[in-house]
Structures are given as C-alpha cells and as structure tokens.
Amino acid sequence: MKTTVKMTNRAIRTPGGLSVRLDVRAFVVVALLLLAALAASVVLIGTGDFPISTGDVLKTLLGNGNAGQEFIVNDLRLPRVLVGLLVGASLGLGGALFQAISRNPLGSPDVLGLGQGATAGALVVIVLMSGSAAQVTVGALVGGLVTGMAIYLLAWKRGVHGYRLVLVGIGVSAIVTAINGYLLTKSDLVDAARALVWMTGSLNGRDWDQVWPLLGLCAVLVPLVLANARGLRMMEMGDDVSNALGVRVERVRLLLMVAAVLLTATATAAAGPVSFVALTAPQLARRLTRSPGPNLLPSLCMGAALLVTADWASQRAFGADQLPVGVLTGVLGGVYLLWLLVTERKAGRI
C-alpha cells in the first residue's frame, strides 16, 4: 500500500487579521537549500592545504579552537566562504529578477551582458590605469551599472518588454565583448595576465574587505526586492492586467531592474564574472518548488548553495586554488544552457 504526501498551499492568519499564503513545498525547499549551503560552507572551510575536520571547524567558529585553527578559519577561509555565499545569493536573486521581468528563461545577466559590462569596467582600470584591487572593484561596479542603464534605455519603447530586453542585451553583450578583446590587445603582458585571472571568476584571496560591502548591499536590497515580490508576480500576467490590479508597472519594473543590476554588478566586482549562476539558479529553484512566479527566495538560496558547492568541488577535484570556481560554473552552466535551448525549441517557444 502506497502513501502519497502532497504539499499544498496553506493560509496563515496573523493576530491582526492579515491572511498570508504559505507555499509549503517552497518553504521546505528553501529550508533544505539553506541547510545545504551551510553544510557545504562548513565542509569548504575545512578543505585546503591544511585540512580541518568538520567538528574542529564548528568548534573554531564557536570560539573554542586553538590559535592556529582560529587564524586559518576566521582570517583565511571564513571570509572566502562568506563572499561565495553572498555572491551566489546575489547572482541567484538578480537572475530571478531579470528572468521574471523579461518573462524569458534566457533573460539572465550572463546573456544580457551585465557580466561583460562589469568586465569592461575592470579592464579599463587594469589596462589603462594599472589600478589597485580596490579600484578594479569600483571599475567593475561602474561598468556593470553603466551597461545595465544602457540596456534599459535602448530597450525602452513605451515600456520595457521581455524579448526586446533580451535582444538588446545580446547586442550590447556582443559590443562590450569586442571592446574587452580590444582592451586586452592594448595591455602589456603583466596587465593582460592579471586581467585574465580576474575574468575567470574566482574566490581565491577574498577577505573581509569584500564581505562587508556585499553584506551591506544585500541587507538593503533583499528586503526591498522581497517587498515588491507580489507586484512582480502580478506583472507576469501582463502589463494591462497588472495596471488594472493597481500595480505601478514601470515604477516596479525600474526599481527591480536597478536592484538586479546592483546585485549582479556588486557580485561581479567582488568575485569576477562567475558564469551562469544567475542563469541556472532560478531555473533549478523553480523546478524544485514547482511553483509559478519568480521564486525569489528559493533562487537566492539556490545561488548561494550552488556557488559554495562548486567551489568545494573544484578544490576537491583539482586541489586548493588550482581551478577558479568560474571555470567550473562556466562549463556546467554552458551544458545547462544548451539543454535549456533544446528544451525551449522542442516546446516551440524559441
């Protein structure tokens, strides 16, 4: 005799009389993804040239480790893992926003050219100014923001619509990629090597200087985005229906696009252009929750879990700091993109 467990939506009524709908399956998926991200983080902290057991990692994080373990865990490895979690969460959330706004599974920062724009900003600082690491970070952030603004303005025609946004983004991406290639040809050998290392996307050498800006930005933008999730979900029914339901469509769309660009550009500035996390995380989260709508929180958690797991896998397979995590996510994401294109073509959507 088989027993079938079915997860359904439940309504929770607060003491003030407000009714809140709870998607049980999505809640369980978010909880499991958070546990997976935390577990992968603990294992990742213990991985390296000086391995530390999971028990000792937990003891050290609680302040009960010896001096050597505290230095390795708190000063060397914990900031790297936190950057990985924050970058993955930012890319996952940013990708979910772009895909929901464009109503297109290909509407991710990787396809739209935001990563290439941030790369262009970083290359300008490296090649033309020989700037420091902090200046490269600022250059990448500015490049991502300028590219996002250009895409929005070029795609505007009585509003911004999905396929026009994707097509404009692909065109801008091609232009910026050509500019990046030109900048590399104008650089000397040292700057070119430094630029190529940054362009692979890596968590190597990340410290607390990258953690605090990311944490501060996420603390502001994540609640802002989640507060507008209801309007974003209504916008998936079309602008006319959303306007009839009282949603200020262009205002919400612009606000969320700015938030998505900021999340993506800041994540790229902190870790380089880590490929395809923004594309795959929302898709995988949606397949796990089986829920309609943007799935913002599941995408955020999926991005965090995906990036730290990929970083751990690259270290286990190739040794500490031998393979940048951006290479692994690029290979896996490229395979996923090909699968997605084939699936969409078979379904007649492209």
Side-chain angles (χ1 to χ4, degrees):
M1 182 176 180
K2 294 182 179 179
T3 301
T4 302
V5 178
K6 185 177 180 180
M7 295 183 181
T8 58
N9 295 337
R10 295 181 181 274
I12 300 175
R13 188 172 297 277
T14 64
L18 178 65
S19 181
V20 179
R21 186 180 65 86
L22 175 65
D23 188 329
V24 178
R25 184 184 179 93
F27 178 81
V28 172
V29 168
V30 168
L32 292 177
L33 287 174
L34 285 175
L35 287 175
L38 292 176
S41 299
V42 172
V43 174
L44 180 57
I45 291 174
T47 303
D49 293 330
F50 185 82
I52 303 174
S53 68
T54 300
D56 288 338
V57 170
L58 293 174
K59 284 170 56 180
T60 304
L61 290 174
L62 294 174
N64 298 320
N66 59 45
Q69 290 172 340
E70 288 185 356
F71 173 73
I72 292 173
V73 171
N74 296 328
D75 294 338
L76 298 181
R77 296 181 183 173
L78 180 59
R80 173 193 178 119
V81 171
L82 290 176
V83 170
L85 288 170
L86 291 168
V87 167
S90 299
L91 292 176
L93 182 58
L97 286 172
F98 275 114
Q99 290 177 25
I101 290 171
S102 65
R103 297 199 289 275
N104 191 318
L106 297 177
S108 91
D110 305 291
V111 177
L112 297 180
L114 291 176
Q116 291 85 340
T119 301
L123 287 178
V124 168
V125 175
I126 293 173
V127 174
L128 302 182
M129 303 168 57
S130 297
S132 63
Q135 291 171 330
V136 171
T137 300
V138 174
L141 179 60
V142 172
L145 293 174
V146 171
T147 304
M149 184 182 300
I151 292 171
Y152 184 85
L153 293 176
L154 290 172
W156 173 270
K157 185 179 179 181
R158 294 190 297 274
V160 174
H161 299 284
Y163 278 100
R164 187 161 63 240
L165 182 68
V166 173
L167 291 174
V168 169
I170 291 173
V172 170
S173 175
I175 294 171
V176 177
T177 299
I179 293 173
N180 292 342
Y182 173 76
L183 288 172
L184 285 174
T185 63
K186 300 297 292 183
S187 61
D188 57 36
L189 186 60
V190 174
D191 287 339
R194 182 184 172 198
L196 287 174
V197 169
W198 188 88
M199 289 170 63
T200 58
S202 174
L203 299 176
N204 298 346
R206 297 308 184 263
D207 55 28
W208 292 104
D209 291 337
Q210 282 84 35
V211 172
W212 300 121
L214 271 170
L215 185 61
L217 185 78
C218 288
V220 174
L221 291 183
V222 171
L224 178 65
V225 168
L226 295 180
N228 287 276
R230 180 175 175 271
L232 181 62
R233 185 165 184 167
M234 290 182 178
M235 285 165 54
E236 291 189 340
M237 296 184 291
D239 290 359
D240 293 338
V241 175
S242 302
N243 281 317
L245 293 173
V247 178
R248 297 183 177 181
V249 174
E250 286 306 323
R251 179 180 177 181
V252 173
R253 182 180 286 131
L254 179 59
L255 176 66
L256 294 180
M257 280 198 66
V258 170
V261 170
L262 281 172
L263 287 166
T264 304
T266 306
T268 305
V274 181
S275 304
F276 290 118
V277 173
L279 173 69
T280 57
Q283 297 292 319
L284 295 175
R286 188 173 294 112
R287 281 167 170 76
L288 287 177
T289 62
R290 299 179 186 174
S291 299
N295 285 276
L296 298 180
L297 195 55
S299 299
L300 181 152
C301 298
M302 175 60 78
L306 193 61
L307 189 54
V308 293
T309 303
D311 194 33
W312 171 80
S314 67
Q315 292 199 44
R316 290 288 297 177
F318 299 94
D321 301 337
Q322 295 300 310
L323 181 71
V325 68
V327 176
L328 184 59
T329 61
V331 172
L332 297 177
V335 173
Y336 180 83
L337 177 59
L338 291 175
W339 176 85
L340 181 63
L341 288 171
V342 172
T343 304
E344 292 292 303
R345 182 177 180 181
K346 287 182 177 179
R349 287 189 284 266
I350 59 174

